[in-house]
Amino acid sequence: MNRIEAFGYIAAQAARGDISFPTSVNAVLRLQRALNEPDCHLEEAIRLVLGEPQLAARTVALANSSAFNAGGKPITNVRAAVTRVGYRNLQMLVASLAVRQFGSCIQDPDLRSKAEQLWEHTVQVAALAQVFARRVTFVNPDTAMFAGIVHEIGAFYLLMRADEFPGLLDDDEDRWGELCEEVVTREVGRRLSLPDPVAEAVFELRGGWLHMPPTSLLDTLLLANLYASIPSPLRIEEPLPDHSESALDYLVDEATLHEIIDEATELSGAMEQAVLV
């Protein structure tokens, strides 16, 4: 089938809820469901985290980042790390593991390279969103970081499916991929049980307008994408709105902006522990 037919086929599957995840993603989703159970207490959460080495390593790394370790006292075990980062950030890490696993089954070297770049972009946006939330928009920073982690879930899924349809995402000037991704994002988001505020911000991100002063979760994601130095490999670069970057000058000075970017860089380094397998 040609590219338009392939996009239509993938979108139609998604629209009727026919989304196929790799075995590794399904395993992470089982972990997510267990952690989301109301009666999942600390001991059970620790046991579940210890059962997933990548998650354990990333939980300890995040607990030792400046965002969670202002006192500088190092964390060396999962129990202390889970206690420090809290359940909400633990759920964010589980979601990041699920997103990361989408690239695990890609065979095509070019698509794997795109998946690597998309992951680096995702982590950078998540870290920037967390810091912008704390220092500029004043939305919940944990929610902002979670939204950053899942904001490209549709793109990850399309990269995985593109392995079945060679050339699917090449030179997509007509943006059929973006139309397909919108449908896919909603269904993948539903399968990942995204909270409503996060899902709404992610769905509205493409074409979203940055408000001044920025105060919403959507504004936070838009700012994070604006200042991310690593672009998504599936996005066509567009001119920024006239008001966007310059208007931020009225909210933060250059020194503060550098501090925000430095904080986000340190945080993204703590988050980016896993590699594609």
Side-chain angles (χ1 to χ4, degrees), residues 58-64 68 80-90 93 142:
R58 293 168 75 178
T59 303
V60 172
L62 187 64
N64 282 314
F68 296 92
V82 170
T83 301
R84 178 174 287 179
V85 303
Y87 266 45
R88 182 173 294 177
N89 285 302
L90 185 58
L93 287 172
D142 299 336

Side-chain angles (χ1 to χ4, degrees), residues 61-249:
L62 187 64
N64 282 314
S65 69
S66 61
F68 296 92
N69 188 19
K73 184 178 180 180
I75 289 292
T76 59
N77 61 82
V78 169
R79 176 181 296 277
V82 170
T83 301
R84 178 174 287 179
V85 303
Y87 266 45
R88 182 173 294 177
N89 285 302
L90 185 58
Q91 290 168 338
M92 180 277 298
L93 287 172
V94 173
S96 73
L97 193 59
V99 170
R100 188 68 160 130
Q101 292 296 335
F102 276 113
S104 65
C105 63
I106 295 176
Q107 300 299 316
D108 181 86
D110 183 58
L111 292 176
R112 285 181 70 90
S113 177
K114 283 184 168 66
E116 278 291 335
Q117 182 179 336
L118 187 59
W119 173 247
E120 292 171 4
H121 166 79
T122 295
V123 172
Q124 192 175 69
V125 167
L128 282 164
Q130 202 261 19
V131 183
F132 273 121
R134 282 193 287 110
R135 304 190 60 166
V136 178
T137 63
F138 305 111
V139 301
N140 185 289
D142 299 336
T143 300
M145 187 159 61
F146 180 86
I149 282 292
V150 299
H151 84 285
E152 290 282 9
I153 51 172
F156 274 104
Y157 184 81
L158 273 188
L159 278 171
M160 183 187 74
R161 296 302 304 273
D163 216 28
E164 305 171 36
F165 304 96
L168 180 72
L169 301 177
D170 294 345
D171 300 322
D172 188 21
E173 295 181 1
D174 294 326
R175 303 194 173 187
W176 289 104
E178 290 187 6
L179 294 173
C180 180
E181 187 184 330
E182 289 183 12
V183 178
V184 167
T185 297
R186 292 182 181 274
E187 179 57 26
V188 177
R190 187 187 69 79
R191 291 283 298 276
L192 291 177
S193 302
L194 297 186
D196 289 342
V198 172
E200 181 178 348
V202 169
F203 299 156
E204 293 180 359
L205 185 57
R206 183 179 291 115
W209 188 261
L210 180 62
H211 296 88
M212 286 295 166
T215 58
S216 69
L217 182 57
L218 176 59
D219 289 333
T220 307
L221 286 179
L222 288 168
L223 280 173
N225 273 277
L226 178 63
Y227 285 96
S229 61
I230 301 173
S232 164
L234 303 188
R235 298 282 173 264
I236 297 175
E237 294 296 322
E238 295 179 335
L240 295 171
D242 292 338
H243 75 295
S244 57
E245 189 167 8
S246 60
L248 194 62
D249 295 339

